[in-house]
Amino acid sequence: MIGAAIIACALLVAPLPERWLIRAASVLLMVAAVAHIIAPLDATLSGEFFGFAFSFSHYTPTARFVGCGLAAFGGIALLFVLPRQPARWLACGALIHSGASLALLTVSDLLTFFVFWELITVGAVILIYQDQVGFSVLRRYFAYQMAGAVALLVGIAVNYGATGGIALTDITAGHGYFLLAVSIKTAIIPLHLWLTRTYPSVSRETVVVLSAYATKAGVIGVGLLLPGAGLELLGAAVALIAVLYALKQRGLREFLSFHIISQVGYMTAGVGSGVPLAVSGGYYHLVSHILYKGLLFMVAGVLIDCFGQSDMYRIDGEGKRKPLLMGAAIIGSASIAGLPPFNGFISKSLLKHALAGSAASWLLIGASIGTALSFTKFLYLCFFQRTGAARREQTEPQPPTRSVARTPASQRSAMLLLALGCVLLGTLPQVPLQRFFGVRHAFYYPAGIWAGVWPVLAAVLLFVAMFARINAMLQRILPESPGLLRLTRRMLLATAAQLRVAHNGHLLRYISWAIGGLVFVWATLLLW
C-alpha cells in the first residue's frame, strides 16, 4: 500500500518547481519510513485481472523493518542529490524505483510480484537515462533485466500449470526459473555486468540511489520465491569470489560495485538458507548494507568531485584534507568489515552463528577477511597514505594539487545521518531484533567481540606484510570478470577449435569414434 502510494506520488510531484521537487520526494520517503513503523497497515488491497485474483499489503514484521530501512535511505539519498539541477526525472525515477521495492515486500501473489519487480526496472531505466550515459550502458542494463523478467514469467507459468494458482504460498514448480531471475537481480557472477558496468558510468548522485534497491529486490525475491531453498553455499561462494574481484579494482566505484555483489551474497546465504536465525540475519544485513554502502558511495562521490580522481592509487592520501569525510569513510569501512560496534558486526554475527560448522560459514569468514583487507586498502590509499608517495613512484607528470571544494551542507547531512544509522543499529541491535524478528541474541561478550575483531586484525596484518604480493597474485591468476554472454562465446569458440582439431579427415579416427559410440550405447543399455 505504501509502495503503491509512493509510485503514484511520482506522477503527482512531477509538476512541482525544480527547487521543491527533490525536497518533496525526500519528505515523502521519510514519511513512508515512519509509516512502516507506526501505522496499522492492516488493510488489504485486492482485485482481479483476467480472472487472476491479486492482492498486496501483507505487512509482516520483517517487511516493516526492511521497508522502513529502504524508505529512510531513499529520503536521505535524495538529500545528497539536492544540490544537483536539473533533477525532475531523477526525482520521479527515484520514487518509482524505491516505491516498487517497498511494494514488493507486501505482495502475496506472483502476478503482483511480477508487476512491481518490473516497475523497479522502469525506475532504474529512468534514472540511468536522465544521466545521458552512453546507449550501450542503458542497453546492457535493460537486456539483463528483461532476461530476468522472462525467466520470472516462465517460472510463474510453469508453477501455474502445476498448481492452478498464483499465490506465493503455493509455489511447487518453476524453481529453476525463479533462481535464474533472482540470480540476475542479485548480480551473481557471471550475471553481474549490468551492475559493474552501469554503476561506475552514471553520476555520483544517481549511483547512490541505484545502490540500494535492485539487488535488494533480488534478495526479497529469494525470501518470497525460494524460501528454505538451501542457498547458503551459493551465497557464501558469491560473497568470497566477488570480494576477490573487488580487491583487484583500482577505480572507486568499480571497487564498491563488486562489494555490493559480495555483500548481497551474505544476504542470499541467510535469507535463502531456511535457518530462522540466518534469515533474520540476512534481512538485518540487508538494511545494514543499505546504510553503509550508501555512505561509502557518497564518500566516493565526494572524493572524486574534490580531487578529480576515481583511481584510488592516484588519490594519494588527499582525503585526509577533509576530516569529516575521513570520519564517514572510517565508519562505513568499519561497518562493512563487521567491526564492533557497527551494524555490520551484528548482522554478520547472526549469520555466522546460525550457519556455524557448515562450509558456508567458512566461506563467509574468508569473505570477511577479504572485505576487511579491501577496505584497509581503501582507507590507506585515499586517506592515510603519505601525501606525495604515489607521485614519486610514477614516472608520468602529475597535475598540481588542487584546492579542495567545499561539500554542500545537504550532502554532509546525508552522510552524517547514514553514519548515525550504522552506529545505532550496531549499538542498539536488541530493539529492532526483538520487535521485528523476535530474536534475543547476545553480541557484546568477549568471545563475540573477538569474533568480529580478529578478521579485521588479520586483514590489517596481511595488508602490512604482503598486500603487494596478494594483489599481484590476484592480477595474475584471477581471470577478468566476463559476463555470461562473453563466457558463452569463449566456450563456443573453444569447442569449435577442438572440433577442427578432431575432424582432420583421418578415416581411422572416424571408425574409432563409431565403434566407441556403439560400445558405449551397448554398455549403457546392458547396465540399465
Side-chain angles (χ1 to χ4, degrees), residues 121 124-125 128 133-148 184 190-202 481-486:
T121 300
V125 167
I128 297 166
V133 297
F135 178 70
S136 61
V137 175
L138 185 59
R139 181 184 61 192
R140 181 184 294 110
Y141 188 98
F142 188 74
Y144 271 85
Q145 299 306 318
M146 287 302 99
I184 292 173
L191 302 170
H192 66 292
L193 285 187
W194 67 266
L195 190 153
T196 56
R197 298 291 174 84
T198 302
Y199 288 10
S201 302
V202 297
S481 171
L484 183 63
L485 295 178
R486 194 174 300 174

Side-chain angles (χ1 to χ4, degrees), residues 54 148 198 238:
F54 65 89
T198 302
V238 170

Side-chain angles (χ1 to χ4, degrees), residues 418-463:
L418 291 181
L420 182 62
C422 292
V423 173
L424 289 177
L425 285 182
T427 54
L428 301 171
Q430 301 298 348
V431 176
L433 285 175
Q434 291 181 22
R435 176 172 180 180
F436 298 107
F437 300 100
V439 170
R440 294 178 178 271
H441 189 83
F443 299 97
Y444 292 104
Y445 58 97
I449 294 172
W450 176 245
V453 169
W454 79 260
V456 179
L457 291 178
V460 172
L461 292 175
L462 284 172
F463 182 82

Side-chain angles (χ1 to χ4, degrees), residues 32 71 127 196 257 286 313 436 442-443 479:
L127 289 168
T196 56
S257 295
L286 188 155
Y313 289 83
F436 298 107
F443 299 97

Side-chain angles (χ1 to χ4, degrees), residues 30 76 79 291 295 412-422:
M30 290 294 192
I76 296 170
L79 283 179
L291 300 179
L295 176 61
R412 296 199 304 272
S413 300
M415 289 188 282
L416 177 63
L417 288 171
L418 291 181
L420 182 62
C422 292

Side-chain angles (χ1 to χ4, degrees), residues 327-344:
I330 292 171
I331 291 174
S333 299
S335 298
I336 195 172
L339 188 68
F342 302 101
N343 54 2

Side-chain angles (χ1 to χ4, degrees), residues 55-59 100 102-117 168 220 224:
S55 65
F56 65 100
S57 196
H58 183 60
Y59 282 92
L102 294 174
L104 197 69
L105 287 163
T106 68
V107 301
S108 56
D109 65 273
L110 288 166
L111 178 62
T112 317
F113 182 93
F114 180 79
V115 170
F116 289 117
W117 181 272
L168 284 171
I220 294 167
L224 294 177

Side-chain angles (χ1 to χ4, degrees), residues 477-494:
I477 68 173
L478 202 62
E480 286 303 315
S481 171
L484 183 63
L485 295 178
R486 194 174 300 174
L487 277 177
T488 304
R489 179 175 177 271
R490 288 181 183 178
M491 291 173 62
L492 290 175
L493 289 175

